[in-house]
Amino acid sequence: MAKIKYIMFDFDNTLVDSLKFWYDSIDREAFKFFGVKINKEFRTARKGLTNREICECFVKYSGIDKSVDEVVKFWHGKMIFNYQNKIKMVRGARETLETLKQMGYKLVLASATPMNVLKVAVKHFDLEKYFEKIYTEETLGAPKREPKFYENIMADLKISASEFFVFEDAFVSLRSAGSLGIKSCSLIHKFNKNKLKNLGENNLLIIKNYYAKKLKNLPIFRVQEDR
């Protein structure tokens, strides 16, 4: 394995246990807020979409006479409250960031969460000090489900796939990274447990949290000369 220069972390359900709050606030609370009945078809239709695409989908399936921006405002406001009051970090995540930073790696954060929400969350958890750069689908001009998302990050960092390592939980994102030859470690949870087993050989390890003993077997935790 080539010497890794940059390590990327996803945010939701990779560093913080937040995905259930994203789902609940749009699948249930948003329908209640806008005074319409829950549409189960929406829950299926929104899968794999970008943040704004989900809000567009909500307007379509709820039939509300509201703009997409009004749905975005509600959803993002709800999530900012959740990050600041309800959501906690994945066990061992902070310690792992500390360890990798001390080892000399450069860390970046890349998320599908919009920048205005992400910055608030990152500040709340006091994570700014760990990351060289923060990327979102907006800043990269590509959804995280597409290889272009990772290609744009590597182009910005001026690195190759062999110099890049990814921590991520979303199956489609891991698959896109793997298609480019990027090695990864995946975080498993109830929303993705039936999918991760189908990832290719570029996904080196599946863990529930960063206290997993087998985490230390990853090549990135071995001393690399001339970092």
Side-chain angles (χ1 to χ4, degrees):
M1 188 174 183
K3 294 176 183 176
I4 301 297
K5 293 182 179 179
Y6 281 88
I7 298 177
M8 186 207 99
F9 283 84
D10 170 50
F11 192 63
D12 295 290
N13 271 45
T14 298
L15 290 177
V16 298
D17 285 319
S18 53
L19 204 54
K20 63 182 179 181
F21 292 93
W22 277 102
Y23 289 163
D24 284 350
S25 58
I26 195 68
D27 287 354
R28 182 171 52 83
E29 294 178 53
F31 280 92
K32 182 178 180 180
F33 178 81
F34 288 106
V36 291
K37 293 183 178 180
I38 292 174
N39 188 306
K40 295 181 179 180
E41 292 180 357
F42 164 75
R43 294 179 178 179
T44 300
R46 64 151 171 76
K47 291 181 179 179
L49 300 180
T50 65
N51 197 270
R52 188 168 184 84
E53 287 171 346
I54 289 173
C55 292
E56 292 171 351
C57 188
F58 180 88
V59 171
K60 174 183 176 181
Y61 280 88
S62 67
I64 58 173
D65 185 23
K66 301 289 183 180
S67 69
V68 173
D69 286 338
E70 288 176 285
V71 178
V72 169
K73 182 179 180 180
F74 167 80
W75 198 18
H76 290 182
K78 176 65 69 173
M79 282 309 301
I80 286 174
F81 175 84
N82 288 336
Y83 280 123
Q84 294 177 324
N85 295 278
K86 296 182 178 182
I87 294 168
K88 296 182 179 180
M89 290 191 69
V90 175
R91 295 175 63 238
R94 188 179 301 278
E95 295 92 323
T96 299
L97 291 172
E98 288 276 5
T99 297
L100 294 173
K101 192 78 170 177
Q102 290 174 10
M103 290 180 70
Y105 291 107
K106 293 182 178 181
L107 309 181
V108 298
L109 183 66
S111 176
T113 298
M115 188 66 81
N116 65 312
V117 179
L118 184 61
K119 282 188 173 181
V120 173
V122 168
K123 183 176 182 180
H124 171 73
F125 290 105
D126 191 26
L127 298 177
E128 304 103 316
K129 58 190 173 185
Y130 297 112
F131 300 109
E132 301 280 329
K133 292 192 174 186
I134 297 178
Y135 300 101
T136 67
E137 293 179 327
E138 303 158 297
T139 63
L140 292 170
K144 201 149 68 76
R145 63 179 180 256
E146 296 181 1
K148 189 69 176 176
F149 183 89
Y150 294 98
E151 291 173 343
N152 289 348
I153 293 176
M154 291 189 290
D156 184 59
L157 299 176
K158 297 179 174 57
I159 58 172
S160 64
S162 62
E163 298 170 309
F164 199 27
F165 192 89
V166 168
F167 283 88
E168 169 68 75
D169 74 294
F171 172 76
V172 289
S173 298
L174 286 160
R175 185 175 59 187
S176 290
S179 72
L180 299 173
I182 301 170
K183 304 296 184 184
S184 63
C185 173
S186 55
L187 278 290
I188 193 170
H189 47 74
K190 68 177 183 178
F191 300 112
N192 67 5
K193 62 182 179 181
N194 295 324
K195 296 180 179 180
L196 294 189
K197 61 184 179 181
N198 296 317
L199 290 170
E201 60 181 10
N202 283 322
N203 187 68
L204 304 183
L205 185 65
I206 298 175
I207 58 174
K208 289 184 178 180
N209 60 63
Y210 297 92
Y211 286 144
K213 293 181 179 179
K214 54 187 177 180
L215 183 69
K216 299 303 179 182
N217 293 328
L218 284 175
I220 58 173
F221 287 103
R222 300 172 192 160
V223 175
Q224 297 186 55
E225 297 179 359
D226 302 320
R227 179 173 307 291

